[in-house]
């Protein structure tokens, strides 16, 4: 087989195993054995499933060279401990093969735990001292088959990422069950999020409706107050206007022949929108801007402040004071 050099190099960079898979199509017997050894030695090759599926490689399983096929299976699915258990029947490992299988063992452990104790690594990889173990881990990190950090204080490897390995057909059932469980969990979370969004939107709509209703009620109340002030009759005025109504000297009612209704209307016009003091029967003062005053002495104030014995007790926005609680109302400059 003749391959274009540029295409071959590009494919090898993207998939280092591909060149060995192509060569396996024409390699048989001893050539297939040698190809497997080269694959196990090759840097950057950490998955072997495609090579195991090649017919010429499968033929090794039933040949006198079946031990090399078993070794390839260990590199694809097993660990260094698996190799040690069958070491007497398997080909010896080169130094690069040993290191690769130890790296793959770390990858397998990383799929089971994010924090791998040094004690577990030392046992699984069959290394006697921590310094050699850390050097091996650093090599694996530089090879980009795992990502993480060495926690020397707690004597463990914290793994953030590990490459995938080949899986057996028997593992498919477990993988499917895991994915289905994950899918169900995601569906539950999404359902709960959608429920929370619906609930939040309902609360928002309820709040906005309530706010609109309150604003409409306040506007209607002000409108009614102004309408009542314009339509006061003499009976209301004679019954409800306090005899001790106080005015600033600059706001005294005109001394002419005005009727009581005209006089009060004139007074209201003068103080409307001005700072006033409303004295209640219990001695409390309310100071604010007069928004509305009707014939029953019902008063609506804006920017209201509550005073008791001359001391500020509380601040309000809009306030409504019933007329039967009012002792008097007078104009006054707002205190800063």
């Amino acid at each position: 087989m003749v391959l274009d050099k540029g295409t071959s190099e590009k494919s090898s960079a993207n998939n280092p195993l591909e060149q060995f898979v192509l060569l396996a199509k024409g390699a048989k017997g001893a050539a297939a054995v040698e190809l497997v050894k080269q694959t196990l030695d090759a840097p950057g090759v950490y998955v072997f499933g495609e090579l195991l599926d090649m017919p010429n490689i499968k033929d090794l399983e039933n040949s006198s060279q079946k031990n090399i096929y078993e070794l390839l299976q260990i590199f694809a699915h097993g660990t260094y401990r698996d190799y040690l258990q069958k070491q007497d029947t398997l080909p010896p490992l080169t130094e690069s093969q040993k290191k690769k299988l130890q790296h793959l063992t770390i990858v397998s452990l990383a799929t089971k735990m994010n924090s791998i104790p040094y004690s577990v690594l030392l046992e699984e990889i069959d290394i006697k001292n921590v310094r050699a173990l850390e050097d091996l881990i650093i090599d694996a990190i530089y090879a980009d088959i795992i990502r993480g950090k060495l926690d020397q204080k707690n004597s463990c490897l914290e793994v953030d990422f590990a490459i995938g390995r080949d899986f057996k057909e028997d593992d498919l059932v477990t993988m499917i069950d895991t994915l289905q469980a994950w899918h169900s969990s995601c569906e539950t979370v999404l359902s709960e999020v959608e429920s929370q969004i619906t609930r939040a939107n309902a609360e928002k709509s309820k709040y906005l409706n309530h706010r609109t209703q309150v604003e409409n009620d306040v506007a209607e109340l002000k409108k009614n107050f102004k309408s009542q002030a314009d339509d006061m009759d003499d009976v209301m005025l004679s019954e409800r206007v306090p005899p001790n109504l106080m005015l600033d000297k600059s706001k005294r009612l005109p001394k002419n022949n005005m009727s009581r209704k005209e006089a009060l209307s004139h007074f209201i016009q003068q103080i409307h929108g001005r700072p006033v003091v409303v004295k209640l029967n219990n001695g409390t003062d309310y100071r604010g801007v007069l928004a509305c005053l009707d014939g029953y002495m019902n008063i609506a104030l804006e920017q209201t402040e509550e005073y008791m014995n001359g001391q500020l007790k509380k601040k309000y926005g809009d306030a409504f004071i019933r007329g039967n609680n009012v002792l008097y109302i007078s104009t006054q400059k707002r205190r800063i």
Side-chain angles (χ1 to χ4, degrees):
M1 176 179 289
V2 179
L3 296 177
D4 178 74
K5 183 178 180 181
T7 303
S8 177
E9 290 179 353
K10 184 176 181 180
S11 299
S12 297
N14 294 332
N15 181 8
L17 182 64
E18 185 175 355
Q19 58 179 322
F20 299 103
V21 173
L22 294 174
L23 292 173
K25 293 179 179 180
K28 294 183 179 181
V33 171
E34 188 61 29
L35 179 64
V36 170
K37 292 180 180 180
Q38 291 177 7
T39 305
L40 299 182
D41 273 317
V45 179
Y46 295 101
V47 290
F48 308 91
E50 291 182 73
L51 188 63
L52 280 168
D53 290 337
M54 296 301 296
N56 290 340
I57 303 299
K58 282 186 175 182
D59 289 343
L60 294 175
E61 185 178 11
N62 300 316
S63 70
S64 60
Q65 302 290 341
K66 66 178 182 179
N67 59 350
I68 194 69
Y69 184 80
E70 292 178 2
L71 181 62
L72 181 60
Q73 284 185 315
I74 289 176
F75 270 79
H77 312 299
T79 64
Y80 189 65
R81 174 170 287 278
D82 295 331
Y83 171 79
L84 293 178
Q85 291 173 350
K86 299 180 179 180
Q87 186 174 7
D88 295 338
T89 62
L90 296 174
L93 299 177
T94 64
E95 193 60 34
S96 61
Q97 291 172 354
K98 178 181 176 181
K99 180 178 290 188
K100 179 182 289 189
L101 188 54
Q102 288 173 329
H103 284 171
L104 291 171
T105 301
I106 297 175
V107 172
S108 293
L109 291 172
T111 62
K112 301 175 182 178
M113 58 186 82
N114 293 329
S115 179
I116 311 174
Y118 280 1
S119 58
V120 174
L121 290 166
L122 290 169
E123 182 179 356
E124 292 293 326
I125 300 176
D126 192 33
I127 292 181
K128 303 305 180 183
N129 63 80
V130 173
R131 177 59 185 270
L133 173 64
E134 291 181 341
D135 288 343
L136 182 70
I137 294 172
I138 291 172
D139 288 341
I141 292 175
Y142 276 112
D144 202 30
I145 62 175
I146 62 169
R147 296 172 194 166
K149 62 181 180 180
L150 298 172
D151 186 348
Q152 295 176 319
K153 180 179 179 181
N154 296 309
S155 298
C156 65
L157 169 63
E158 298 289 342
V159 181
D160 299 324
F161 162 83
I163 63 171
R165 294 196 64 184
D166 296 299
F167 60 88
K168 301 177 182 178
E169 292 184 4
D170 296 341
D171 296 334
L172 280 175
V173 176
T174 303
M175 292 177 64
I176 292 172
D177 291 341
T178 301
L179 289 173
Q180 287 179 339
W182 175 78
H183 179 267
S184 299
S185 177
C186 289
E187 289 289 341
T188 302
V189 172
L190 287 174
S191 177
E192 182 62 24
V193 169
E194 289 175 355
S195 176
Q196 293 288 349
I197 291 173
T198 301
R199 189 179 300 112
N201 287 336
E203 290 295 328
K204 178 182 178 182
S205 178
K206 181 179 178 182
Y207 165 77
L208 292 176
N209 290 337
H210 176 70
R211 178 178 175 180
T212 301
Q213 183 63 40
V214 170
E215 290 175 348
N216 291 339
D217 290 344
V218 171
E220 185 66 23
L221 183 62
K222 290 181 178 180
K223 181 179 178 181
N224 291 339
F225 282 165
K226 292 179 180 179
S227 177
Q228 290 178 12
D230 293 338
D231 298 334
M232 292 183 300
D233 55 48
D234 291 334
V235 175
M236 292 179 182
L237 293 172
S238 62
E239 292 180 352
R240 293 296 180 179
V241 177
N244 55 351
L245 181 67
M246 298 178 62
L247 296 173
D248 290 341
K249 291 181 179 181
S250 60
K251 301 298 181 182
R252 296 290 186 183
L253 295 178
K255 295 180 180 180
N256 52 28
N257 294 326
M258 284 186 180
S259 68
R260 191 174 182 83
K261 176 179 178 180
E262 292 173 338
L264 185 57
S265 295
H266 180 75
F267 169 66
I268 292 174
Q269 292 175 3
Q270 286 184 313
I271 66 174
H272 184 269
R274 300 290 300 278
V276 298
V277 177
V278 179
K279 187 78 169 182
L280 302 189
N281 295 323
N282 63 4
T284 304
D285 290 350
Y286 286 94
R287 306 178 186 182
V289 177
L290 182 65
C292 194
L293 171 65
D294 68 4
Y296 292 97
M297 289 300 290
N298 295 316
I299 299 171
L301 296 180
E302 298 174 346
Q303 305 174 29
T304 311
E305 297 175 346
E306 179 182 325
Y307 285 81
M308 180 67 71
N309 298 324
Q311 299 295 321
L312 177 63
K313 295 296 183 182
K314 195 170 183 181
K315 292 185 178 182
Y316 305 91
D318 296 342
F320 173 71
I321 304 172
R322 294 180 62 85
N324 57 358
N325 295 318
V326 177
L327 180 62
Y328 67 79
I329 178 173
S330 66
T331 57
Q332 181 172 326
K333 293 182 179 180
R334 179 172 292 278
R335 297 178 180 179
I336 304 300

